[in-house]
Structure formats: C-alpha cells, structure tokens
Amino acid sequence: MQSFFDISHTVQSDEIDSQLHVHNLRYLQWTLWAASKHSADSGWISKLAAADGLGWVVRNHDITYRAAAVAEDQIVVRTWVSEIERYAALRKTIVCRPADQTVLARVKTRWVYVNLWEHRVVKIPENVRELMIVAPTPPMPWE
C-alpha cells in the first residue's frame, strides 16, 4: 500500500465559474473525494464505523490557491496523512496539472475522530491508527 493516493480527473465544463476557471468549491470537493478514496483503499469502511457510531469529521480546511484550472485540464489530486495525534489526523493534498508541472492548490485538512451518537471527539483507536500510514510529502506526479 502506498503512503499517498492519487485521483486523476479531467476538469468538466460544469466545474467552471463565471470567471472561466474552476470554482474554488470544486478543489474542496476533489480533496474530500481523494481523502475518502484513500481511506477506503487503506481498509477504512466508513459504513461499518458509522453503524458503530464512529467516524471522521473535518475540524478545519486550509486551502492555498496558486494557479487556475480550466475546462479540459487533466489534473491529479494527491493526498497523504502527514501526522496523527491523539484525537486528530492531518491530511495534506496537492491539486496539480502535470502537463505543465503546475501546483494549482495545496490543502491541509484536520480530521477529528468522533463518537457520532454523542457528538464528541474521542481518542483514535489503535486499530484505526494501524490503517493510516504517516508519510512525508511525496514527490510530485511528474517526478
């Protein structure tokens, strides 16, 4: 299992805003898709956890936009877990366009582990920690 996970995506015309580039909410959507798919690929079964009243909730997102994407751009969304604390995990994501080696956005998301029934943050259990590979920043997709 790799320490990072990629989603390849072609920017669709319905993702373009009135300024003729990708709307900023799409970057957030892509980030969440990548996190979900990476977690599932690592063995996390969200439906089973939710049935037990447990899951991950976003505490905060920090997005730095660096360049614009436009319709038909081929992008890669690369994500990885950079640290795990007692109650939270920090996931980093880059959104890039390999064709011209451009980083479009850098994202940091702090996820907290919660008891969904009691609506409170709880300690991340060891069996959940074992599913997560903490990794340094991976190479860019074009490297």
Side-chain angles (χ1 to χ4, degrees):
M1 178 173 38
Q2 286 194 95
S3 60
F4 62 88
F5 187 84
D6 288 348
I7 291 179
S8 295
H9 178 70
T10 302
V11 175
Q12 303 299 305
S13 59
D14 66 351
E15 296 177 302
I16 303 302
D17 64 15
S18 62
Q19 296 176 353
L20 304 179
H21 59 68
V22 171
H23 191 280
N24 61 333
L25 289 177
R26 294 299 182 160
Y27 291 89
L28 182 57
Q29 182 181 45
W30 298 334
T31 297
L32 293 172
W33 285 348
S36 176
K37 290 177 184 292
H38 186 207
S39 294
D41 190 61
S42 299
W44 172 259
I45 304 170
S46 60
K47 288 184 179 185
L48 289 178
D52 289 335
L54 298 167
W56 293 98
V57 174
V58 171
R59 174 62 51 97
N60 68 300
H61 293 288
D62 178 14
I63 304 175
T64 301
Y65 300 98
R66 300 176 49 97
V70 297
E72 302 305 317
D73 275 353
Q74 303 291 317
I75 64 164
V76 172
V77 181
R78 176 165 286 180
T79 189
W80 66 98
V81 176
S82 66
E83 74 184 68
I84 302 174
E85 300 169 349
R86 184 175 180 156
Y87 301 100
L90 181 64
R91 177 177 288 280
K92 293 184 178 180
T93 305
I94 57 167
V95 180
C96 59
R97 187 175 47 230
D100 62 357
Q101 299 183 356
T102 299
V103 174
L104 304 171
R106 292 184 183 275
V107 185
K108 296 178 191 172
T109 304
R110 182 159 308 281
W111 294 83
V112 292
Y113 199 68
V114 296
N115 179 311
L116 299 168
W117 296 330
E118 298 176 10
H119 305 285
R120 66 180 181 89
V121 175
V122 294
K123 182 180 174 184
I124 302 168
E126 194 57 38
N127 66 322
V128 174
R129 288 174 173 275
E130 290 170 359
L131 298 174
M132 304 166 77
I133 298 173
V134 176
T137 303
M140 292 295 182
W142 52 83
E143 295 177 343

